[in-house]
Amino acid sequence: MTGMLRAEWIKLRRRWVFRVLVLVLVALTGISAGLLLIVPEVAPDAIEGLPHLSRGDATIVGVQTVLGQTWFPLILAVVMLGSEVTTTAWASALTRESRRPRHLAARLIVLSGAAWAAALVAIAGWEILAAAYTEGAPSFGVGDWAGVALKAAMVQTTWVALGLGAVALLRSTGVAIGVVVAYSFVEGLLALWRPFGEIALSGASSSLIGQTVADVSGGFGATSADPMSFLQAIVVVAIWALLGWMMAMVGLTYREA
């Protein structure tokens, strides 16, 4: 297993797509930070309805904003696995059926770790701006940040699993990217529908991080259903992760059949 993990890490390092995706993630996070942190302070009348976030709310909003960029782990997973399942490379690499779960697990671990690290970089950038443009004392201590790191790992792993499942089933990188990007946007809208909101992964991700006092919508649009309890959010994330893994296993098994 160690050799498989090392091989996946080497593949990731050699692919330019990871660096590009990280740059896009940081840029989008910076734009959001500019609107929610900087604009209310330097030009308070520029956009009506934007709140002046406290230091504590700014941290929660920042973490939720970064983890809400679900396209990142989805596209990363699709591109990295899609380059193999769309050719004969995967079939030739698996000489025994019993090794398939290990190959898939190695991809899941490495890609989830990469998505997690990228999210932490983006969150750190947000926190630097929050420290400069919001008032109040930081509300997150060392233990809170350890919890954020753990929850971020759970969320990113789940979205990576869904990305792997999508490309394994569809066996087309382009089609899979289109599907997962569309779903990452539609899923947030579906969460407004209460029955789906109870099992929405985006809602569970936000509920894991916490709630804010301020309304950060700026008066535009609706908000999602009531936040889930911590236990419900954990269960929802686990179910989606299992679903992604099962989709990937079914897709890869069908590919070799």
Side-chain angles (χ1 to χ4, degrees):
M1 188 65 179
T2 302
M4 292 182 184
L5 291 172
R6 183 173 180 274
E8 292 305 316
W9 169 242
I10 292 174
K11 290 178 190 176
L12 182 66
R13 281 193 315 172
R14 292 179 177 177
R15 295 293 296 274
W16 57 267
V17 67
F18 177 62
R19 299 179 183 88
V20 171
L21 289 176
V22 171
L23 290 176
V24 174
L25 175 65
V26 171
L28 291 177
T29 302
I31 293 173
S32 297
L35 290 174
L36 295 175
L37 301 179
I38 300 176
V39 171
E41 295 300 321
V42 302
D45 298 326
I47 302 178
E48 184 178 356
L50 283 181
H52 291 268
L53 295 175
S54 67
R55 187 73 171 84
D57 278 353
T59 295
I60 295 175
V61 170
V63 176
Q64 290 177 339
T65 297
V66 173
L67 297 185
Q69 304 291 332
T70 57
W71 58 268
F72 181 89
L74 285 169
I75 292 180
L76 179 64
V78 167
V79 172
M80 293 302 297
L81 182 59
S83 62
E84 296 186 27
V85 297
T86 55
T87 68
T88 59
W90 179 274
S92 62
L94 286 175
T95 56
R96 297 189 302 275
E97 182 179 346
S98 60
R99 296 184 63 193
R100 187 186 303 114
R102 295 170 60 196
H103 277 269
L104 185 59
R107 284 162 170 77
L108 180 63
I109 292 171
V110 171
L111 296 179
S112 298
W116 174 77
L120 293 188
V121 169
I123 290 171
W126 178 287
E127 274 298 288
I128 292 173
L129 293 176
Y133 290 98
T134 59
E135 298 178 354
S139 60
F140 277 35
V142 175
D144 297 311
W145 282 114
V148 167
L150 178 59
K151 294 167 186 175
M154 294 169 54
V155 172
Q156 297 297 79
T157 298
T158 301
W159 286 109
V160 166
L162 289 172
L164 293 175
V167 74
L169 286 175
L170 297 171
R171 292 183 289 165
S172 170
T173 302
V175 173
I177 288 177
V179 169
V180 297
V181 169
Y183 180 73
S184 69
F185 286 103
V186 172
E187 202 261 359
L189 296 176
L190 290 175
L192 300 176
W193 180 43
R194 184 168 296 276
F196 185 82
E198 294 295 322
I199 59 170
L201 179 54
S202 59
S205 301
S206 295
S207 297
L208 284 177
I209 303 305
Q211 295 177 251
T212 65
V213 175
D215 174 16
V216 297
S217 68
F220 300 102
T223 56
S224 59
D226 294 336
M228 302 178 189
S229 66
F230 182 77
L231 179 59
Q232 181 184 356
I234 290 288
V235 171
V236 169
V237 169
I239 290 174
W240 280 104
L242 179 60
L243 176 62
W245 176 268
M246 293 175 61
M247 287 167 53
M249 286 299 298
V250 169
L252 295 177
T253 300
Y254 175 73
R255 164 72 182 180
E256 294 177 38

